[in-house]
Amino acid sequence: MSAPTKKPAVTEREARQVAEAAREQDWRKPSFAKELFLGRLRLDLIHPHPMPTDEEAQRGEEFLAKLRDFCETKIDGARIERDAQIPDETINGLKELGALGMKIDTKYGGLGLTQVYYNKALALVGSANPAVGALLSAHQSIGVPQPLKLFGTQEQKDTFLPRCARTDISAFLLTEPDVGSDPARLATTAVPDGDSYILDGVKLWTTNGVVADLLVVMARVPKSEGHKGGITAFVVESASEGITVENRNAFMGLRGLENGVTRFHQVRVPAANRIGPEGAGLKIALTTLNTGRLSLPAMCVGAGKWCLKIAREWSAAREQWGKPVAFHEAVGSKISFIAATTFALEALLDLSSQMADEDRNDIRIEAALAKLYGSEMAWLMADELVQIRGGRGFETAESLAARGERAVPAEQILRDLRINRIFEGSTEIMHLLIAREAVDAHLKVAGDLIDPEKTLQDKAKAGANAGVFYAKWLPKLVAGPGQLPRSYADFHPEGHLDLSGHLRYVERSARKLARSTFYAMSRWQGRMETKQGFLGRIVDIGAELFAMSAACVRAEHLRTTGDHGREAYQLADAFCRQSRIRVEELFGRLWSNTDDLDRKVVKGVLGGTYTWLEEGVIDPSGDGAWIADATPGPAKRDNVHRPIR
């Protein structure tokens, strides 16, 4: 048996090549968001609003009714916050309810819910306590069930899915102490040994890892005779000899989260437990996240709904200067923002989820945008709620109750939501990931032109291809339906507000966005990938345009089904007007910003130029390394793994 390999030394270019190889290369199905970034509003891809079948809806609603009763009677959010742990009886109750198998097919003992109803369930549970929502989400969205559903063998599905549906909790282990969003440097190894692999390494931030029964582990297989090697995915029994949960981590929010540090020392894993071929681990992880990311915006929608409820009730009861605070413009604008944004987020989520269920569209960009936009906007809504509540927003629910007031955990939701801007790809990484997909069409035809390693012959060929592509594409960005006053007339029904103007704005802005992207690529060429501030703004504009489109489509759907149509039109109109202000600001900041100056300041900070500015304070940080030692070897700490039985 070979010795474990050392942590690989990886250049920036090599890291990028690993990430590029892992992403799905082709677009076999249409994508609304991809078209939007190319300057085309393909409303036909999302309107009329897709809907679940009657059977799917009935099964989903029946489970939601049971789950609501469980959440109201069996989940004590205050106790979880106080004890920093979900009680075993609560987890066992969820198992009995079948909540571990919401997305697992009925033939394996699961409930077989659609993505739409799975997300509604997560929003409901997350509103009762976000840590419980995180447990269920990590188990099903990125844990063992989803990668096996997509890439597992029939034998693996038969073996593990029934367990995951009813009894066993799973976790997903990718991150390491010195490896975050740069998996090319993954150090955990899986060395072939006969009909097994031997795992060695340390994994960090293993959500559910403290209580998990089954693990999805990403490890590097060394290249050798008969072994392609590369980052590979495995299903690992958490009770295997050599696995130690060395620490249960604690955070500013999600206090009930069972998240830890897991060490593997000479852990034997059968080759039959490998998911997919060697080297396919990152592709499996990214593909799993294509729909798995929708679980986070689901809980963000639930948070928005709760923020709206509390803002409404409190702002009607609290009076200042002779009238409820809601009727003071400074507070009222915050309530309007929460209401309109919650409506848009739910529209974005339901639309993306239904598209995932129908599988007619490629939703990799849509899901990523929903995660990015949902996590950012939910945080803003929670922050506004704390501001509306004033001093009571900063006070804990326990303290409020102790002095006789309603125990509203506003400060807790702010803490709990903060992690969503980091979970499953930080906002900064999501900007880069989405930007890469958004410019894919350009790179396919002109990528060789800006690649310094390509030959002159390759560049000449790319230039010819690019000329043909842009000769057809660029003229279409000059004019479109957004300039015709009667376009999208379906969205201006008699007796309702006019949403057609907002869709015309989306169409015009999509073309402007595409022109801006093309101009930037022409200007910066190979340096485009370093312009992360610019790319982030491009993506944020796309997110706003997608949200506006979804809000309009949802409002029209609710109008035609007779379900709060007039009110939905009002909320969609308010959201689009708020969103348009943000879009115009982002367009302005594409070319008028401090990005270059910021880079100079950063060089000065890291070079010690401004250390005098740090004088006059005490650093309360404790001693210790910035990054913990993750050298493979036997455990030196007690095992805090505690399976729930």
Side-chain angles (χ1 to χ4, degrees), residues 416-429:
D416 288 341
L417 282 172
R418 185 61 183 83
I419 187 58
N420 291 336
R421 297 171 66 199
I422 300 171
F423 260 166
E424 295 182 18
S426 69
T427 290
E428 294 72 25
I429 292 300

Side-chain angles (χ1 to χ4, degrees), residues 53 55 71 95 212 232 245 248 304 383 388 399 405 420 439 459 498 505 507 557 564 586 613 619 644:
T53 66
E55 190 273 332
C71 290
K95 290 181 180 182
T232 307
V245 179
R248 182 181 187 266
D383 189 54
I388 291 170
S399 177
E405 292 194 2
N420 291 336
V439 301
K459 290 180 182 291
D498 183 7
Y505 176 84
E507 196 277 337
H557 167 70
H564 305 295
L586 286 164
L613 193 58
D619 182 359
I644 309 297

Side-chain angles (χ1 to χ4, degrees), residues 4-122:
T5 58
K6 296 180 180 179
K7 185 186 294 277
V10 180
T11 66
E12 182 180 353
R13 182 172 181 81
E14 288 170 339
R16 200 176 298 114
Q17 288 173 337
V18 169
E20 182 66 18
R23 62 175 288 275
E24 197 170 347
Q25 303 291 324
D26 299 320
W27 295 85
R28 299 182 181 87
K29 300 172 185 175
S31 164
F32 175 81
K34 175 175 177 282
E35 293 293 316
L36 206 58
F37 282 108
L38 286 171
R40 299 187 284 252
L41 176 57
R42 288 286 308 278
L43 202 60
D44 60 296
L45 295 177
I46 62 172
H47 173 67
H49 195 295
M51 292 295 293
T53 66
D54 291 342
E55 190 273 332
E56 290 170 341
Q58 180 180 351
R59 187 166 70 244
E61 293 294 342
E62 288 174 354
F63 176 71
L64 286 180
K66 297 176 185 176
L67 184 62
R68 173 174 286 278
D69 179 68
F70 181 88
C71 290
E72 291 176 341
T73 59
K74 304 297 184 183
I75 296 181
D76 186 344
R79 177 185 173 186
I80 294 171
E81 181 70 5
R82 183 178 61 251
D83 297 346
Q85 191 171 86
I86 304 170
D88 288 4
E89 60 266 26
T90 299
I91 296 177
N92 284 326
L94 289 167
K95 290 181 180 182
E96 293 171 10
L97 197 64
L100 292 188
M102 287 187 283
K103 283 193 70 179
I104 297 176
D105 196 294
T106 53
K107 65 184 177 183
Y108 300 112
L111 299 180
L113 298 187
T114 62
Q115 185 72 40
V116 169
Y117 277 97
Y118 171 65
N119 285 341
K120 289 181 183 295
L122 289 179

Side-chain angles (χ1 to χ4, degrees), residues 380-555:
L380 290 176
M381 288 191 287
D383 189 54
E384 294 288 41
L385 175 65
V386 168
Q387 193 70 17
I388 291 170
R389 288 274 291 162
R392 291 172 174 84
F394 193 66
E395 191 173 0
T396 67
E398 188 176 28
S399 177
L400 288 164
R403 59 182 185 79
E405 292 194 2
R406 186 177 298 185
V408 178
E411 60 83 29
Q412 181 190 333
I413 198 170
L414 193 63
R415 289 186 288 104
D416 288 341
L417 282 172
R418 185 61 183 83
I419 187 58
N420 291 336
R421 297 171 66 199
I422 300 171
F423 260 166
E424 295 182 18
S426 69
T427 290
E428 294 72 25
I429 292 300
M430 296 306 296
H431 277 150
L432 299 181
L433 184 151
I434 297 167
R436 170 61 188 86
E437 299 295 353
V439 301
D440 186 53
H442 300 282
L443 293 180
K444 273 185 165 60
V445 298
D448 287 356
L449 280 173
I450 59 178
D451 189 336
E453 294 192 0
K454 293 298 181 180
T455 65
L456 288 176
Q457 185 178 2
D458 289 334
K459 290 180 182 291
K461 184 178 179 182
N465 292 336
V468 173
F469 174 79
Y470 289 119
K472 294 180 179 178
W473 179 68
L474 286 171
K476 297 177 182 178
L477 302 182
V478 176
Q483 292 163 296
L484 303 176
R486 296 185 182 276
S487 295
Y488 313 113
D490 289 354
F491 293 84
H492 189 191
E494 186 177 349
H496 286 266
L497 292 169
D498 183 7
L499 297 184
S500 66
H502 296 310
L503 288 173
R504 289 195 292 274
Y505 176 84
V506 170
E507 196 277 337
R508 294 194 304 273
S509 298
R511 285 187 282 113
K512 183 178 179 180
L513 183 64
R515 291 195 302 269
S516 300
T517 304
F518 173 74
Y519 174 68
M521 291 189 68
S522 303
R523 176 179 174 180
W524 291 314
Q525 298 186 26
R527 293 183 296 129
M528 179 79 162
E529 63 191 23
T530 69
K531 303 296 181 179
Q532 296 180 1
F534 177 89
L535 293 173
R537 294 175 201 114
I538 286 287
V539 169
D540 286 340
I541 293 170
E544 294 283 1
L545 299 182
F546 181 31
M548 290 173 67
S549 304
C552 291
V553 168
R554 182 176 181 83

